[in-house]
Amino acid sequence: MPQSVTLNVNGKTVSIEIDDPDMPLLYALRNDLGLKGPRFGCGMGQCGACTVLIDGSSARSCSISVGALDATAEITTLEGLGTPENPHPIQAAFIEEQAVQCGYCVNGMIMEAASFLKENSKPTEEEIRAALDNNICRCGTHTRIIRAVKRASEAA
Amino acid sequence: MNQILISRRSILRGGGALVVSFAMPSVASAASAESLSPAGKSLSGEAVDGFLSIGTDGIVTVYSGKVDLGTGVPTALAQMVAEELDLTLDQIHMITGDTALTPDQGTTSGSNSIMKGGMQLCAAAATARNALLKMAGEKLGVAADELTIEAGVIKPSSGGEGIGFGELVGGKTFELAIDPDAKFKSPDTYKLVGKSIKRFDIPGKVTGTFDYIGDVRVDGMVHARVIRPAAIHADLVSVNEDSVKDIPGLIKVVREGNFLAVVAKTEWAAVKAADALEVEWSDWKGLPDQSKIYDYVRNSEIDKTDVVATAGDAAGALANAKKTLEATYSFPIHSHASLGPSCAVADFKDGKLTCWSPSQGNHALQKQLAEMLQLDAQNIRIVYVEGAGCYGRNGFEDCTADAALLSKLLEVPVRVQWMRHDEHGWDPKGPPSLADLKGAIDDDGKIVAWDSQFYHAQSVGNAVTLVAADLAKLSHQPGGRAGSVQGNADLGYKLPNVQTSVHWVKNTPFRASWIRTPGRLQNTFANECFIDELAAEAKVDPFDLRLSMLEDPRGREVMERLRKLSNWETRPSPASNQEGNIARGRGVAYCHYHNTFAYVAAVCEVEVNRESGEIKATRFYVTHDLGQVINPDGLINQVEGNVCHTLSRTLHEELQFDNSSITSLDWVSYPVLTMTGAPEIIVELIDRPEEPPMGGGEPSAAIVTAAVGNAIFDATGVRLRQVPFTPERFKAAAMD
Ligand code: FES
Ligand code: FES
């Protein structure tokens, strides 16, 4: 039975029609709302490629049913942080450090960092590593990503 | 013969303004198959028009067959072209990897993008530059050598009115063969090459505005998931379509031989149907015992043996030596395990196929798809769209074939997204390899004999078999695989008595393909570790021993610089006076890529927890000479990636399987290097602007495993010869 779900994404209230409330949020964001920041990496909560913020905290959108959400949950995606013209300080730090190879992991890294820096605005390098330890990067951009998050924390 | 012939023909042909009419459809509005192969755009790798066109606005479009596999290479290529033509970077528009637009420059692999691909572009640009100068000279009444170019405007060096590229040739073709002798600009006039220009793609990638392959949407597109055999060569016995009939949005269960897929209106319906579909597969148990995988390699029939190096009399010298050593090194099966599982979109309509694909070799794929689908290659267009990082021929081509087959069967655009288990399970694998080494040292601690025998998987056919072609029993070369590479099996050092052979084994358990530095990594691992074994036996410093055998001055400089950079303490390994549970050590490794291309060396520092066996690489120092450096920061980024990715392979990665299928299907069963394990990496580039650029994509991966192995030995006296260097292997080796 198609049903309507209302979500609050990047500050806007949007309604989508879904067949199945068990559909993960990731599919709603990518296919129904046309967002490209969150990416499909594993669908099992293991890699972090799909990370978004829900009420400011990082969440793996591949592992949250869209039916479990309503408009009271504030969802923020990578697009909601900033734009190429007006990037968020973390995004600006990733550009500054050129902390990207393929960049497929970078959504997760930035969203996880955004959540973490809110809790710990002046982290040590060790704390940054620990915070991002469950986000996988295959290209080996590790050290630049750590540097970019450090830079962002220092800029704030 | 640099005749300038701006073709009137191309204008009269209608729609002569090449740049405008051939601009690649933006992915977001990805067009349908109708935009296939517009006539008129040269695809010749020998013609300037193949690679460059100039718009009336003076914007130069560069058509590169080499693509961005997550290395940022288009930025470097743009720098090279802009430099030769004296343009600013915003006057360059890059189009990469579209079989309808870009010349076939071969697969993006083997560290060739700049070394070969970039040099072709530069030759086209230099030819165009000469032509433009000549033309402008005629228009302005000034000799060509009295003209300068600035930001695409040609003017007399003495001052006065100039003329822009757009005005000169905008919208027209050059009709000019690339002059292989066209002179490049002198490095001392460079404005862009050699600078750390920031990559074009990064702002989009960090803000969610960049289009990856997963973001391609085509009108009328449906979503598919493939369901692979439960055992690798199992046959499909039966499918219960009723098991999925209630899933809303399901369109069809597609079965072609052993090829099975579900197609749905929504992506989630396809995921659910693939999961719920009841399928019966036959039994198949043809895989070897994982715990005996190296016996399997050793016992395989050998197809042929290449003797790659001989000097003196290795057998005789070994027989007569007082001190000899022998060791066997083994390197496991790896998955590419791209972070983004393979994805592709295909649109078959009216006998023509367009694929949007992240393939590293879309011209080769075009031919394979033509055979598989029995289409004329000219009726297949493959448009490159970036996927997650690709380290060689992974699953991208297979996924594209899945999409192409489904679209041909259903005659609608089909998007196939592999799931994580498809990627880990069905990407082609880096094959297992073995190396047997023997060496002898004399009383002065010099290596006097060296015998090395490598066992590598042989290639079959000229392309890796497409899974869909195999499963659906369509036309293809069966068993096609990319075997290993013999480069760097022969040492880059001068020794008196050498015998080195590569034995190409026929049997390898999985469809094999190249993963970052195939062969060169495995060979360098064995060679550079065994040199350290001999150095330890002779009680000499491993750095000193290498330098005593190294004649090439560029190689020596790389090593001397590394010695300084890493504050190398000269002494034999292992280190003495290690106290406490954590042992610290350092190891060195050197490689002259293929003994022909780039020079690279590294020192790795490790900490080993003797009790738990846990190994942490804390720091890498890398020195690298690859001739002219185009974009230093881009190159350092690539080197860092090589170090971390190869460190992951060295410490963590090994394919798991039982006798019917692969069992390491996710990130838990196939662990990789995470943030807490990433080392500090210090890179020193030796820029040689007067020397041709040599590829930097892979060489710095080749030395990583050996440097880590040597550092572990230095720290603990324990020699690990089997990758990955897991805590269990360390503990077992320490007991011996
Ligand atoms: S895609 Fe969600 S964690 Fe991997
Ligand atoms: S940059 Fe490619 S996965 Fe991290």
Side-chain angles (χ1 to χ4, degrees):
Chain A
M1 253 350 87
Q3 66 185 78
S4 177
V5 178
T6 304
L7 300 171
N8 178 337
V9 181
N10 295 333
K12 286 195 205 101
T13 304
V14 287
S15 283
I16 57 169
E17 294 291 312
I18 54 166
D19 291 324
D20 178 5
D22 289 340
M23 178 173 81
L25 173 63
L26 176 65
Y27 295 94
L29 296 173
R30 291 188 53 83
N31 295 336
D32 297 293
L33 300 174
L35 293 163
K36 299 186 289 198
R39 305 189 218 298
F40 175 71
C42 67
M44 296 181 283
Q46 294 178 347
C47 74
C50 64
T51 306
V52 298
L53 301 180
I54 299 184
D55 298 328
S57 296
S58 63
R60 304 209 156 176
S61 68
C62 71
S63 304
I64 296 169
S65 302
V66 72
L69 297 164
D70 59 33
T72 63
E74 283 181 30
I75 300 164
T76 309
T77 69
L78 190 62
E79 292 93 333
L81 287 190
T83 59
E85 298 71 36
N86 188 16
H88 182 277
I90 302 176
Q91 292 168 321
F94 271 69
I95 297 171
E96 205 42 53
E97 293 289 345
Q98 297 281 286
V100 169
Q101 285 185 53
C102 79
Y104 205 87
C105 65
V106 87
N107 167 71
M109 299 294 177
I110 291 177
M111 299 314 276
E112 197 63 50
S115 172
F116 159 69
L117 289 179
K118 218 175 280 172
E119 303 293 315
N120 182 354
S121 62
K122 294 283 174 243
T124 63
E125 189 187 309
E126 283 317 301
E127 288 169 334
I128 294 171
R129 286 172 182 262
L132 297 179
D133 207 40
N134 291 318
N135 284 65
I136 291 172
C137 172
R138 270 307 268 165
C139 296
T141 320
H142 302 56
T143 55
R144 281 178 186 240
I145 291 168
I146 296 162
R147 276 209 301 275
V149 176
K150 189 95 177 96
R151 175 187 279 264
S153 74
E154 283 157 4
Chain B
M1 54 167 269
N2 265 353
Q3 275 210 2
I4 302 159
L5 265 175
I6 299 288
S7 164
R8 300 290 148 214
R9 256 190 315 133
S10 62
I11 299 170
L12 295 174
R13 229 174 355 229
L18 288 183
V19 178
V20 180
S21 56
F22 291 138
M24 184 173 95
S26 89
V27 174
S29 65
S32 68
E34 265 139 34
S35 53
L36 198 109
S37 274
K41 163 70 180 70
S42 166
L43 298 176
S44 165
E46 263 106 61
V48 172
D49 297 326
F51 294 109
L52 302 173
S53 72
I54 299 180
T56 47
D57 53 2
I59 300 285
V60 174
T61 301
V62 179
Y63 301 92
S64 165
K66 300 289 185 189
V67 299
D68 193 346
L69 300 176
T71 65
V73 87
T75 302
L77 296 175
Q79 276 174 265
M80 294 171 88
V81 173
E83 187 68 70
E84 285 306 325
L85 285 169
D86 277 314
L87 294 161
T88 59
L89 281 170
D90 52 14
Q91 290 175 305
I92 298 265
H93 173 52
M94 295 294 297
I95 288 182
T96 60
D98 181 339
T99 56
L101 298 175
T102 55
D104 182 359
Q105 290 182 281
T107 298
T108 303
S109 66
S111 306
N112 278 325
S113 292
I114 286 178
M115 180 163 63
K116 296 208 180 119
M119 296 319 272
Q120 275 177 298
L121 292 180
C122 280
T127 308
R129 178 191 177 92
N130 289 339
L132 289 161
L133 282 170
K134 188 153 180 235
M135 248 191 312
E138 280 162 15
K139 281 237 164 127
L140 299 171
V142 182
D145 58 0
E146 284 166 26
L147 292 168
T148 59
I149 310 179
E150 227 184 280
V153 178
I154 304 178
K155 33 183 157 184
S157 322
S158 55
E161 275 295 283
I163 183 163
F165 289 0
E167 205 181 317
L168 271 176
V169 293
K172 297 166 221 154
T173 50
F174 280 94
E175 308 270 327
L176 195 61
I178 294 174
D179 174 6
D181 301 322
K183 262 187 76 151
F184 293 173
K185 277 178 63 176
S186 152
D188 53 19
T189 64
Y190 282 169
K191 299 192 191 84
L192 294 168
V193 164
K195 300 237 157 32
S196 290
I197 303 292
K198 288 200 161 46
R199 273 167 50 180
F200 305 151
D201 56 321
I202 291 183
K205 285 179 171 175
V206 302
T207 53
T209 52
F210 184 88
D211 287 303
Y212 287 92
I213 184 67
D215 303 315
V216 172
R217 299 288 181 270
V218 176
D219 281 348
M221 183 181 91
V222 297
H223 294 269
R225 287 296 182 279
V226 289
I227 299 120
R228 298 300 196 209
I232 289 178
H233 291 294
D235 284 319
L236 181 49
V237 177
S238 67
V239 181
N240 176 9
E241 294 199 23
D242 281 350
S243 59
V244 293
K245 71 174 190 324
D246 294 334
I247 293 177
L250 182 80
I251 298 169
K252 203 172 164 50
V253 176
V254 177
R255 176 183 176 171
E256 284 285 307
N258 292 320
F259 178 88
L260 186 61
V262 289
V263 182
K265 280 192 204 132
T266 67
E267 187 168 15
W268 180 239
V271 175
K272 277 209 305 185
D275 208 37
L277 190 68
E278 289 173 10
V279 189
E280 196 191 330
W281 299 96
S282 68
D283 255 1
W284 181 85
K285 290 189 166 38
L287 289 176
D289 182 347
Q290 190 193 329
S291 67
K292 302 207 176 74
I293 187 66
Y294 298 110
D295 295 340
Y296 173 91
V297 176
R298 191 175 293 287
N299 296 331
S300 164
E301 198 182 324
I302 287 170
D303 187 58
K304 69 172 176 135
T305 291
D306 286 324
V307 178
V308 295
T310 51
D313 172 16
L318 278 164
N320 296 326
K322 272 194 272 173
K323 249 189 214 168
T324 59
L325 279 187
E326 281 187 41
T328 292
Y329 291 84
S330 48
F331 200 95
I333 307 170
H334 281 158
S335 167
H336 299 259
S338 280
L339 186 66
S342 300
C343 181
V345 177
D347 184 6
F348 181 82
K349 200 189 291 168
D350 304 328
K352 294 184 176 185
L353 175 69
T354 303
C355 298
W356 289 268
S357 168
S359 165
Q360 62 168 182
N362 49 11
H363 284 92
L365 180 59
Q366 183 186 37
K367 292 187 196 97
Q368 269 189 295
L369 291 179
E371 174 171 4
M372 167 177 137
L373 299 173
Q374 296 293 298
L375 293 170
D376 189 334
Q378 290 201 341
N379 288 329
I380 299 177
R381 176 183 186 180
I382 302 184
V383 181
Y384 179 76
V385 186
E386 204 175 319
C390 164
Y391 322 104
R393 199 305 199 175
N394 62 1
F396 294 164
E397 286 75 6
D398 298 299
C399 186
T400 308
D402 292 339
L405 173 59
L406 288 166
S407 183
K408 178 144 187 279
L409 291 170
L410 303 176
E411 300 229 356
V412 290
V414 179
R415 175 180 185 268
V416 177
Q417 167 74 66
W418 280 12
M419 301 302 281
R420 174 49 50 202
H421 57 263
D422 298 320
E423 191 69 31
H424 269 76
W426 289 83
D427 76 328
K429 303 293 185 284
S433 67
L434 273 178
D436 293 333
L437 288 95
K438 288 184 202 149
I441 40 177
D442 65 10
D443 290 339
D444 301 331
K446 293 256 175 292
I447 301 177
V448 289
W450 182 273
D451 179 296
S452 50
Q453 309 292 318
F454 295 86
Y455 297 83
H456 281 304
Q458 169 73 307
S459 292
V460 176
N462 48 21
V464 179
T465 291
L466 296 168
V467 174
D470 184 33
L471 293 178
K473 303 182 175 32
L474 298 170
S475 171
H476 71 289
Q477 244 180 354
R481 68 179 194 222
S484 197
V485 174
Q486 72 183 29
N488 293 112
D490 50 331
L491 284 179
Y493 305 107
K494 176 112 172 143
L495 291 178
N497 301 295
V498 177
Q499 177 73 31
T500 297
S501 298
V502 176
H503 307 285
W504 297 105
V505 302
K506 275 193 172 171
N507 298 340
T508 195
F510 302 96
R511 200 167 53 115
S513 92
W514 298 324
I515 303 184
R516 215 172 206 169
T517 330
R520 283 73 42 105
L521 169 59
Q522 288 80 353
N523 299 339
T524 305
F525 160 51
N527 286 336
E528 287 289 299
C529 282
F530 195 59
I531 283 178
D532 265 41
E533 294 206 44
L534 292 168
E537 187 67 31
K539 299 197 170 42
V540 296
D541 176 79
F543 231 111
D544 282 347
L545 179 64
R546 284 178 174 78
L547 281 166
S548 74
M549 309 182 291
L550 185 54
E551 291 185 332
D552 188 318
R554 286 173 74 173
R556 290 188 69 86
E557 181 168 352
V558 161
M559 288 293 278
E560 305 279 14
R561 288 222 204 178
L562 179 64
R563 192 171 201 153
K564 231 197 229 143
L565 182 71
S566 67
N567 289 312
W568 183 263
E569 185 197 348
T570 301
R571 56 166 174 78
S573 288
S576 50
N577 309 326
Q578 292 272 11
E579 274 164 33
N581 195 29
I582 304 292
R584 293 188 173 79
R586 86 295 198 249
V588 62
Y590 163 81
C591 177
H592 179 197
Y593 210 51
H594 283 256
N595 293 320
T596 306
F597 303 112
Y599 302 81
V600 64
V603 165
C604 167
E605 295 178 356
V606 297
E607 289 177 3
V608 182
N609 182 322
R610 285 191 233 245
E611 206 173 296
S612 70
E614 209 183 311
I615 295 158
K616 195 166 167 11
T618 51
R619 191 177 292 138
F620 267 86
Y621 297 95
V622 182
T623 49
H624 211 341
D625 169 1
L626 16 62
Q628 179 186 40
V629 175
I630 309 299
N631 184 323
D633 187 64
L635 179 57
I636 290 171
N637 197 356
Q638 181 71 11
V639 171
E640 291 171 351
N642 277 327
V643 170
C644 279
H645 182 206
T646 313
L647 182 61
S648 179
R649 298 174 69 183
T650 301
L651 294 182
H652 302 289
E653 297 180 34
E654 180 162 32
L655 194 82
Q656 306 294 318
F657 52 95
D658 59 25
N659 52 17
S660 60
S661 61
I662 289 164
T663 54
S664 49
L665 297 175
D666 63 9
W667 297 114
V668 175
S669 49
Y670 193 84
V672 296
L673 184 81
T674 60
M675 287 293 176
T676 45
E680 182 189 353
I681 304 168
I682 298 136
V683 182
E684 185 172 303
L685 302 176
I686 304 173
D687 186 18
R688 298 188 188 276
E690 305 289 341
E691 297 287 341
M694 297 182 289
E698 299 178 323
S700 50
I703 48 178
V704 170
T705 308
V708 176
N710 290 340
I712 294 168
F713 177 80
D714 185 60
T716 63
V718 175
R719 173 59 60 181
L720 296 183
R721 301 187 186 90
Q722 185 173 344
V723 174
F725 303 153
T726 59
E728 295 67 39
R729 290 221 173 102
F730 176 81
K731 284 190 283 184
M735 303 266 277
D736 282 352

